[in-house]
Amino acid sequence: MSKTAALESDLQEFLDALRESLLAALPDAGPPRAGFERLDRNMLDRALISDRPPQSAPACRHLADSYAALDGAGPLLTRLAQAIKAIEPSLRWSDAIAPGQPSFLKETYAEAMIVGAGGLAESKAVEIGLSILAPNTDYPNHRHPPEELYIALSEGDWRQNADPWVTPGKGGLIYNPFGITHAMRSGDKPLFAIWSLPLP
Ligand SMILES: [Fe+2]
């Protein structure tokens, strides 16, 4: 198998593992389930992997601890962690700071698009990627039009509007409805998560 074909198969395995983890965490009905169904349809609409040079970012220094925290986390998360490890060296991590966000995030936060604009595989129908946040760091309030489903891969807290913080735990689901203000924060371990957004 060529290197590209092997990576394509690793990417498909990641998407299958993500789908399995989302299904395990989802309620049977309601807006998160409807969001997942939009995501599930849109996930099929992607290009094969594109040949871009990988790129690291300062916050990637927390990846090893994030993987270590997933040791023994059960079959679904073990599958997902293995799938992430297989594609991670090919990802382009970004330390770019979104408009209005504080400059300390350059050192303490990074994200990588896996499927979506500029990602490992291009898509106009979804954005699926990874976030990593250094320990004891707040990622302040932000908002964006598309709805968003996260799978938490670590401890860490999420918040919507001025609601209380919630701690979904490893394998837990966070559903952000269209356009809602949301934030996240890490405790004494890095926060590691997968986000997936079906685009309208
Ligand atoms: Fe978000």
Side-chain angles (χ1 to χ4, degrees), residues 158-160 162-166:
W158 273 261
R159 187 182 64 191
Q160 295 176 338
D163 294 350
W165 289 93
V166 297

Side-chain angles (χ1 to χ4, degrees), residues 138-194:
D138 282 21
Y139 190 101
N141 277 336
H142 65 288
R143 52 184 300 185
H144 40 72
E147 64 189 325
E148 179 172 47
L149 296 118
Y150 279 91
I151 288 286
L153 298 171
S154 69
E155 301 304 321
D157 306 327
W158 273 261
R159 187 182 64 191
Q160 295 176 338
N161 295 326
D163 294 350
W165 289 93
V166 297
T167 306
K170 290 172 204 168
L173 177 84
I174 303 95
Y175 173 71
N176 290 323
F178 303 89
I180 199 168
T181 296
H182 55 283
M184 54 194 183
R185 69 180 181 193
S186 53
D188 60 1
K189 299 269 166 48
L191 183 154
F192 191 36
I194 303 171

Side-chain angles (χ1 to χ4, degrees), residues 105-147:
L105 289 177
K106 199 140 184 85
E107 289 295 315
T108 55
Y109 177 75
E111 61 184 35
M113 185 75 81
I114 299 174
V115 180
L120 194 57
E122 290 286 334
S123 175
K124 291 187 169 73
V126 287
E127 291 183 348
I128 297 172
L130 293 172
S131 281
I132 190 157
L133 184 66
N136 303 306
T137 306
D138 282 21
Y139 190 101
N141 277 336
H142 65 288
R143 52 184 300 185
H144 40 72
E147 64 189 325

Side-chain angles (χ1 to χ4, degrees), residues 9-143:
S9 127
D10 288 343
L11 173 60
Q12 191 55 52
E13 163 58 14
F14 165 77
L15 294 172
D16 292 345
L18 171 61
R19 196 174 173 280
E20 184 184 43
S21 282
L22 283 166
L23 278 168
L26 274 170
D28 288 337
R33 169 64 63 161
F36 168 77
E37 281 163 11
R38 282 186 280 275
L39 179 76
D40 201 31
R41 278 194 302 275
N42 289 11
M43 266 165 109
L44 301 171
D45 185 7
R46 69 165 177 92
L48 297 179
I49 59 159
S50 47
D51 195 12
R52 288 198 177 82
Q55 176 177 290
S56 191
C60 293
R61 66 187 182 279
H62 300 291
L63 276 171
D65 280 353
S66 300
Y67 291 143
L70 284 166
D71 282 349
L76 291 182
L77 289 180
T78 299
R79 180 184 181 193
L80 203 43
Q82 284 306 120
I84 293 169
K85 284 180 195 173
I87 59 172
E88 191 282 323
S90 304
L91 298 180
R92 289 181 67 75
W93 287 91
S94 170
D95 60 4
I97 299 167
Q101 295 292 39
S103 59
F104 66 77
L105 289 177
K106 199 140 184 85
E107 289 295 315
T108 55
Y109 177 75
E111 61 184 35
M113 185 75 81
I114 299 174
V115 180
L120 194 57
E122 290 286 334
S123 175
K124 291 187 169 73
V126 287
E127 291 183 348
I128 297 172
L130 293 172
S131 281
I132 190 157
L133 184 66
N136 303 306
T137 306
D138 282 21
Y139 190 101
N141 277 336
H142 65 288
R143 52 184 300 185

